[in-house]
Amino acid sequence: MISNRKKRSWLICTGVMLLLAVMALSGCSTTHKTADSSSKGEDTSAQQATADKKLVMAYTWKPSGVDPHGDNSWDIMRSGAGETLVRLNEKLEPVAWLAKEWKQDSPTVWTFSLQDKVTFHDGKSMDAESVKASLLRSIKKSHLAKDLLDVKSIDVTGPLALKITTNQPNAALVSNLADPSTIVLDVASMKDEQSYPAMTGAFKIKAFNKDQSLVVERYDGYWGEKARLAEATMKFITDGNSRLLALQSGEVDVATDIPVDNAEVLKKNDKLQVLSSPSLRTHMIVYNMESPVFKDAANRKVVDNLIPRASIVSAIMRGYGTEASSPFPSILPFGKVERKALDGTPEQLLAKDGWKKDAQGTWTKQGKPFEVTLLTFPQRPELSVMAEVIQSQLLKEGIQVKIRKVENIDEALTKNDWDFAMYSMLTAHTGEPQYFMDMFYSSKSESNVSRYASKPLEDILDRLKLAKDTAQRNAVTLQALNIINTDLPQSFIVHPDNVFGVKKGVEGFTPHPIEYYYITAQSDIAE
Amino acid sequence: MIRFILERVAQLVIIVLVVSTLTFVLMRLAPGDPATILLTAHNVPASEEALTALRKELGLSEPLHIQYVNWLRDVSTGHWGTSYVSKESVLTELWNRLPATVELASAGFAVMTLLTLGMGLAASVQSSGWLDRLGRLFALLGSSIPSFWLGFLLIYLFSVRLGWLPSMGREDWTHLVLPALTLGAGLGAVQARVLRAQMLELGDRNFVKAAKARGFSRTHILFFEIFKHAILPIITLLGTNLSFMLAGNVIVETIFSWPGLGKYFIDAITQRDYPVIQGYVIFAAFLIVGVQCLVDVVQVAVDPRLRLR
């Protein structure tokens, strides 16, 4: 005997449960529709799909869009869809890509002749006018492109010839044209919101699923060697452990940015392999040049000398890195620099500078102990471990270090309550030293985190802009590095490697120091 | 009912105003300059000119109170701003990610509800049997295993070792199984213990004894006398947890690369995408108040006495 009211209550409860179940199921089917519709009608038949080779990559970053002239340029370049006028070879030298050749007419004028028979993904031919429009758009949309190119004017001098005039002498222009922010596209394709950007790469964009994946497919009209893969998918998996598990479960063929601890796990799996390449990144210590302790160069030199670089490389980096002696790794011709030897032992240097050891073995000067604050941050966990190792090493020598972990290191460095800090930077992201040195060492730059000012160094950097050839540029850069290693506004600790987990059978995936070229025409999967 | 709705709307306006103002002030006080973060996304240094220009473009060179007034004016006219990162409307961005979050929350909620009802009822019927002991074990594990750990365990077992289910992404229903289990299992196991305790406590009440005396069957007494009363606090718990799932399942979304609101919110915090953070707070307030309204309606439907209060 159940009353009507009771029946109604139960009906409502049952209804709510059913509604939730339907929501869950309908949500799933919606996903299907979204994924299908996002391919924009460019279906490939099921038969073709099984016959063709497809590569899936677990990718660390999550682009917010597919416009290559903005914050997502690196992601588009890595997908194999975008190309620049110049690319960098494995020695990080600029070589021809969409530009066939170039020459410098004067310190501020360069002429480029372009490859012929290049077409955009929408079928239009690439010519000097379209390249000019693309470069102007990249300068307008990207602050980095604007800074790197420093363009005064671009003139079309022939169907496939361009003249670029810079505001100031910019000897790094050619290398800087390899930066992904200058990817060449058909500007008209950006006006159609229903289509993806038409670029010139071996792959064209097939689908972009925000927060999920970027799918590219072979472009059959490609001007160079055709892509061996029919399709490649970059799945955005920001969590390092999730990337590793996706690789182990076989859902992806390649996983980028494998933490070095996990590399050991992958090595034990006979279906997977670990690939690595030297990177252009440098893990370093930056000194606050306004710190009461570290404004004294002798104290910076002592700390620099006590950093256990060899054990950091072997124990913390597990061998995936090399000891650093300058901001630039030694794979670069201007990175081969010797660290300056200390003039005496740390004890002698400190004693000469007026420090005395107290009964507890701590160095003191005018009654104040040698006590310094070291900042570190969680986004690169290995830096915090390095900080602890350095703290322990300095303590052994009588130097007290307080470690403070901050959420945002760049913001923390703008304040004054720190003495030194762990830091990490890409130092030659176009294979060129100039942009980094201008930003990092100029007394006017906000990116000069050490607040270091050196007139001799800034004079050398001005000379670098006028250097005529590679040999001269390298020689001038080495002069600059000599000053940096003497003044020590930073201590360079290690150049970490780029580490990838790759399924056996994946071919043509060659880790490259420059980090732009992941999926290429040569990428393949063995039958 | 009209009064009920008006009360909820007033509540919503106050919550949104207080929470968003607090968020606005706290975000601006927190370290992290959006212009620096945006321009140094790949750890490539940025020039002073570029930083200054971007700060101006983002409206960050204005004094804080002017920024706040501008923001409040825009929100009150339905303009939730534009994401610093994607350059798209915040409302559109949130709206696009809502289906993924609702899908995951619904599936997690279904897992949680099934576990709560199934294990809770079974444990109360067999209050000292093996099902009860199993339920206690699950509750202990559910309350002590963090969701990120449970997620990785499930991925390791079902994706890496057995290869039965995908470990990440949102494609078909199979992608939903592991995140839904991670989200709902722990909470369901804990709630089952609450239901069990309620059922056992109510079993000694006079109205149950009266029903027994009138000769009702055991099943009838269990479902239509005891369970009907025991479910009321559970509905409140389910509602609270549904709000949590809709507004805060960040960890599960991160582990399983689930493209929902929670993950988007965390990314926005990392990138100091102020308009998105502000927008999310308002969005979450709507979701939470909306779910609480739904809970109230269901409670009134289940127990009509509540209408009189």
Side-chain angles (χ1 to χ4, degrees):
Chain A
M1 273 204 291
I2 304 170
S3 70
N4 284 340
R5 185 175 289 171
K6 282 179 184 170
K7 278 182 186 169
R8 199 167 61 238
S9 304
W10 280 105
L11 277 172
I12 289 171
C13 282
T14 316
V16 170
M17 296 298 169
L18 280 172
L19 182 69
L20 287 165
V22 169
M23 278 165 76
L25 291 173
S26 65
C28 291
S29 59
T30 310
T31 317
H32 253 321
K33 284 176 191 166
T34 311
D36 290 348
S37 60
S38 61
S39 66
K40 303 203 171 198
E42 296 177 342
D43 289 343
T44 51
S45 71
Q47 283 176 338
Q48 197 185 342
T50 49
D52 285 337
K53 295 174 183 177
K54 295 179 179 179
L55 180 126
V56 182
M57 172 186 281
Y59 182 65
T60 320
W61 307 100
K62 198 179 69 170
S64 59
V66 288
D67 187 341
H69 294 164
D71 302 329
N72 307 307
S73 57
W74 288 41
D75 314 300
I76 303 301
M77 180 66 102
R78 287 164 169 173
S79 75
E83 291 176 324
T84 44
L85 291 184
V86 173
R87 64 170 279 143
L88 301 169
N89 65 15
E90 289 189 5
K91 292 178 187 166
L92 304 170
E93 299 157 339
V95 292
W97 210 4
L98 291 175
K100 199 156 57 180
E101 53 195 22
W102 51 84
K103 68 182 175 72
Q104 187 170 15
D105 301 329
S106 77
T108 56
V109 179
W110 294 78
T111 52
F112 290 82
S113 62
L114 306 174
Q115 303 278 4
D116 53 3
K117 295 178 186 162
V118 178
T119 57
F120 292 111
H121 295 152
D122 55 8
K124 290 183 194 167
S125 292
M126 183 194 83
D127 58 14
E129 282 292 353
S130 56
V131 173
K132 175 187 170 181
S134 178
L135 287 176
L136 290 177
R137 184 178 186 275
S138 74
I139 290 164
K140 191 176 166 195
K141 294 269 176 184
S142 164
H143 293 287
L144 185 60
K146 185 171 180 274
D147 285 347
L148 286 172
L149 304 186
D150 190 27
V151 159
K152 185 178 179 188
S153 65
I154 301 177
D155 300 302
V156 173
T157 53
L160 291 170
L162 278 177
K163 184 173 86 176
I164 297 180
T165 309
T166 55
N167 287 312
Q168 295 176 66
N170 183 7
L173 180 74
V174 174
S175 287
N176 288 349
L177 279 167
D179 187 88
S181 61
T182 66
I183 283 174
V184 175
L185 54 74
D186 174 22
V187 171
S189 71
M190 300 308 293
K191 288 171 190 156
D192 181 4
E193 288 183 3
Q194 299 306 309
S195 71
Y196 293 116
M199 292 166 278
T200 61
F203 292 92
K204 63 177 179 179
I205 298 174
K206 181 182 177 187
F208 173 64
N209 304 307
K210 212 166 202 177
D211 299 342
Q212 296 181 71
S213 62
L214 173 64
V215 186
V216 292
E217 62 183 350
R218 180 168 49 218
Y219 174 49
D220 290 323
Y222 185 55
W223 61 281
E225 179 194 350
K226 303 284 186 291
R228 293 173 196 174
L229 293 169
E231 194 174 289
T233 302
M234 295 163 82
K235 289 195 172 184
F236 312 140
I237 308 177
T238 49
D239 183 78
N241 288 315
S242 301
R243 280 198 304 282
L244 185 78
L245 288 167
L247 185 68
Q248 287 176 309
S249 69
E251 287 167 74
V252 300
D253 304 300
V254 176
T256 63
D257 298 297
I258 296 290
V260 287
D261 288 340
N262 292 344
E264 300 302 310
V265 178
L266 292 184
K267 276 183 178 171
K268 290 175 190 159
N269 189 326
D270 57 10
K271 292 178 184 161
L272 304 172
Q273 55 183 325
V274 178
L275 302 179
S276 64
S277 72
S279 77
L280 299 176
R281 176 172 293 285
T282 308
H283 292 337
M284 61 181 96
I285 278 178
V286 296
Y287 297 100
N288 182 356
M289 303 296 272
E290 291 161 14
S291 149
V293 177
F294 287 132
K295 67 183 174 190
D296 188 340
N299 297 336
R300 299 197 295 273
K301 283 176 189 169
V302 167
V303 170
D304 179 76
N305 188 262
L306 291 172
I307 295 169
R309 291 176 174 83
S311 58
I312 284 174
V313 168
S314 61
I316 299 174
M317 303 306 295
R318 309 286 173 119
Y320 289 105
T322 49
E323 288 183 48
S325 52
S326 92
F328 307 111
S330 59
I331 48 167
L332 292 159
F334 47 85
K336 294 181 180 65
V337 178
E338 291 286 322
R339 265 206 331 277
K340 301 253 175 194
L342 204 59
D343 191 17
T345 63
E347 286 80 8
Q348 287 168 340
L349 217 67
L350 287 171
K352 196 174 157 189
D353 203 33
W355 293 91
K356 286 176 187 166
K357 268 199 174 172
D358 65 10
Q360 284 78 41
T362 303
W363 289 99
T364 56
K365 191 175 182 179
Q366 293 162 352
K368 287 183 183 169
F370 196 139
E371 192 177 87
V372 277
T373 302
L374 174 61
L375 303 186
T376 183
F377 54 101
Q379 287 82 1
R380 291 191 178 275
E382 68 272 29
L383 292 189
S384 296
V385 184
M386 279 180 211
E388 285 166 20
V389 169
I390 291 164
Q391 178 191 41
S392 159
Q393 190 69 24
L394 294 184
L395 186 64
K396 277 186 209 164
E397 299 295 331
I399 298 171
Q400 306 271 358
V401 177
K402 281 186 196 164
I403 293 180
R404 184 149 61 87
K405 204 174 225 180
V406 296
E407 197 252 342
N408 188 300
I409 189 71
D410 289 303
E411 180 75 16
L413 294 182
T414 61
K415 295 170 185 152
N416 252 333
D417 56 347
W418 60 283
D419 298 298
F420 59 154
M422 304 303 297
Y423 206 59
S424 180
M425 285 299 268
L426 262 179
T427 52
H429 76 287
T430 58
E432 263 291 324
Q434 185 152 11
Y435 182 76
F436 172 77
M437 299 229 278
D438 281 346
M439 294 301 127
F440 210 64
Y441 295 111
S442 163
S443 53
K444 293 172 195 156
S445 169
E446 276 196 41
S447 296
N448 180 351
V449 287
S450 291
R451 292 157 210 175
Y452 168 63
S454 164
K455 180 76 173 55
L457 181 65
E458 293 192 40
D459 288 344
I460 291 178
L461 294 181
D462 286 340
R463 273 171 45 213
L464 187 59
K465 290 173 188 162
L466 297 168
K468 285 176 188 161
D469 53 34
T470 309
Q472 197 182 352
R473 290 182 65 71
N474 293 348
V476 176
T477 305
L478 289 171
Q479 286 174 24
L481 294 178
N482 186 41
I483 293 182
I484 290 165
N485 274 0
T486 306
D487 290 354
L488 279 181
Q490 295 91 29
S491 284
F492 308 103
I493 304 170
V494 59
H495 302 295
D497 286 354
N498 296 319
V499 184
F500 300 87
V502 180
K503 209 187 262 182
K504 282 184 182 162
V506 171
E507 295 170 358
F509 184 84
T510 314
H512 193 292
I514 206 72
E515 299 184 39
Y516 302 156
Y517 314 119
Y518 283 3
I519 298 168
T520 63
Q522 290 77 39
S523 303
D524 199 2
I525 297 176
E527 293 290 353
Chain B
M1 189 54 102
I2 291 170
R3 192 180 162 193
F4 172 78
I5 292 169
L6 286 175
E7 273 175 11
R8 284 294 183 273
V9 170
Q11 206 178 53
L12 183 66
V13 171
I14 294 166
I15 289 173
V16 166
L17 202 65
V18 171
V19 173
S20 59
T21 307
L22 268 176
T23 314
F24 188 93
V25 174
L26 290 175
M27 280 311 298
R28 262 64 176 187
L29 292 178
D33 169 29
T36 310
I37 293 170
L38 282 173
L39 287 181
T40 57
H42 296 284
N43 280 162
V44 177
S47 69
E48 195 187 356
E49 292 79 13
L51 285 166
T52 310
L54 188 59
R55 281 188 197 119
K56 197 174 174 189
E57 188 185 318
L58 300 177
L60 296 169
S61 42
E62 301 277 2
L64 192 61
H65 65 280
I66 301 284
Q67 288 182 45
Y68 180 68
V69 170
N70 289 343
W71 174 78
L72 209 58
R73 187 194 57 216
D74 288 348
V75 168
S76 62
T77 54
H79 299 290
W80 288 27
T82 305
S83 162
Y84 292 166
V85 178
S86 69
K87 314 280 189 294
E88 287 190 27
S89 151
V90 168
L91 204 54
T92 311
E93 290 279 62
L94 294 173
W95 198 248
N96 287 343
R97 284 162 179 88
L98 184 64
T101 293
V102 169
E103 183 182 315
L104 179 56
S106 306
F109 185 78
V111 169
M112 178 176 72
T113 310
L114 286 173
L115 273 175
T116 303
L117 299 182
M119 286 172 60
L121 285 171
S124 66
V125 170
Q126 266 202 2
S127 59
S128 54
W130 66 271
L131 273 173
D132 189 26
R133 286 198 290 276
L134 191 67
R136 196 179 303 148
L137 177 69
F138 275 136
L140 186 68
L141 292 174
S143 56
S144 56
I145 296 181
S147 56
F148 78 89
W149 182 240
L150 178 63
F152 284 130
L153 280 180
L154 290 174
I155 293 174
Y156 186 71
L157 180 63
F158 292 106
S159 302
V160 177
R161 301 303 300 179
L162 299 170
W164 291 352
L165 291 163
S167 68
M168 50 85 212
R170 177 182 178 240
E171 286 167 31
D172 55 32
W173 69 271
T174 57
H175 288 77
L176 195 55
V177 177
L178 294 183
L181 274 174
T182 309
L183 201 58
L187 292 168
V190 173
Q191 283 177 184
R193 301 307 290 173
V194 179
L195 179 62
R196 173 195 173 275
Q198 284 284 320
M199 297 279 287
L200 291 178
E201 190 194 324
L202 288 166
D204 290 335
R205 295 280 177 88
N206 287 338
F207 70 91
V208 176
K209 286 175 188 164
K212 281 179 186 168
R214 290 207 296 275
F216 287 120
S217 69
R218 194 165 173 246
T219 313
H220 174 89
I221 292 170
L222 188 71
F223 283 100
F224 297 108
E225 301 295 339
I226 302 176
F227 179 67
K228 196 188 93 174
H229 290 91
I231 196 70
L232 280 171
I234 300 297
I235 289 173
T236 310
L237 274 178
L238 288 173
T240 309
N241 285 328
L242 179 60
S243 306
F244 158 74
M245 287 174 176
L246 282 168
N249 51 12
V250 174
I251 293 168
V252 177
E253 287 188 1
T254 304
I255 293 170
F256 291 95
S257 295
W258 193 264
L261 282 172
K263 183 146 185 356
Y264 181 54
F265 179 54
I266 289 299
D267 291 339
I269 291 176
T270 313
Q271 292 160 325
R272 295 293 182 271
D273 197 346
Y274 293 154
V276 171
I277 298 166
Q278 298 291 138
Y280 179 83
V281 168
I282 300 175
F283 210 74
F286 273 109
L287 281 176
I288 290 167
V289 174
V291 169
Q292 290 310 318
C293 287
L294 185 71
V295 169
D296 289 344
V297 170
V298 173
Q299 278 190 324
V300 168
V302 172
D303 187 357
R305 289 174 303 174
L306 292 171
R307 276 185 208 163
L308 302 172
R309 292 180 192 170

